[in-house]
Amino acid sequence: MCIADHLVEAAEGGDVFLVARLLAEGAAVDARNSMGRTALDLASFRGHPEVVRLLITAGADPEQPAGEHRESTPLCLAAAHGRTAVVEALIDAGVHLRAQGRMRWVPLVLAATSGDEGHPRTVTLLLDRGADINAVMKGRTSHEWAARFGQVQMVRRLLGRGATPTAKALTAAHEYTERHPESQRKNALIIDALRVASATAD
């Protein structure tokens, strides 16, 4: 196994002491392993903030291409998997919060919509650190995507933080009900929240 493979494996496993030793022995901080992944890529994905901070201090590019096909970024991977402490470490390193990577993914949208109800702590951190709550990814904002996926609590959370209630979100909520009639009662809560927020905004 080459030294790059060792470094990436140690970073993925969260072994901060081994990562430090391998870097001291001359491992290139952004070298890719045999699968094309870097230490920062997999440390971000697995949720190891101490390793992430060490790698960045050692010179790792915090905005490097990441993911299995280099389609993402460390921040997007961390946001999509609710790795809040890693997200904080990357923001502290100066990573911007706008659309990024080859796919132009928006970290806030990923944090808000991944999983059954998104990742509330990660969303809160991103918003507290300056993420644009109305940023658009693939034609929709985070709360419009949350409405489309039937995520009641996330829609409420985002509206409570100042998301602009839109006709597109209301349409998305109705479409979700049509696709999932068994969730009609739950989705009625989204529709009500959007209508109340819209009336308040007016």
Side-chain angles (χ1 to χ4, degrees), residues 1-24 26-33 37-40 42-43 51 54-55 58 60:
M1 185 183 291
C2 70
I3 192 168
D5 285 328
H6 279 298
L7 178 65
V8 174
E9 183 180 85
E12 183 177 14
D15 191 335
V16 66
F17 298 106
L18 181 55
V19 169
R21 194 189 84 195
L22 291 168
L23 290 171
V29 69
D30 281 337
R32 294 187 179 274
N33 68 2
R37 309 293 290 269
T38 68
L40 182 60
L42 286 173
V51 175
L54 172 61
L55 291 167

Side-chain angles (χ1 to χ4, degrees), residues 33-55:
N33 68 2
S34 56
M35 301 299 291
R37 309 293 290 269
T38 68
L40 182 60
D41 175 352
L42 286 173
S44 299
F45 173 64
R46 296 298 183 189
H48 301 305
E50 298 87 357
V51 175
V52 167
R53 291 184 187 278
L54 172 61
L55 291 167

Side-chain angles (χ1 to χ4, degrees), residues 113-166:
T113 59
S114 298
D116 292 337
E117 281 290 345
H119 302 291
R121 289 181 59 246
T122 308
V123 167
T124 296
L125 174 67
L126 287 165
L127 291 173
D128 287 349
R129 297 296 292 270
D132 178 4
I133 199 166
N134 293 313
V136 173
M137 185 179 88
K138 297 185 178 180
R140 290 186 173 90
T141 64
S142 54
H143 95 278
E144 289 167 351
W145 279 112
R148 187 174 187 273
F149 295 146
Q151 296 172 315
V152 179
Q153 296 305 319
M154 187 55 67
V155 169
R156 286 174 168 170
R157 178 178 295 269
L158 292 167
L159 289 172
R161 289 296 300 259
T164 302
T166 62

Side-chain angles (χ1 to χ4, degrees), residues 183-197:
S183 301
Q184 184 171 357
R185 179 176 296 180
K186 180 183 79 169
N187 218 45
L189 299 174
I190 294 177
I191 293 168
D192 287 346
L194 289 166
R195 286 175 173 163
V196 168

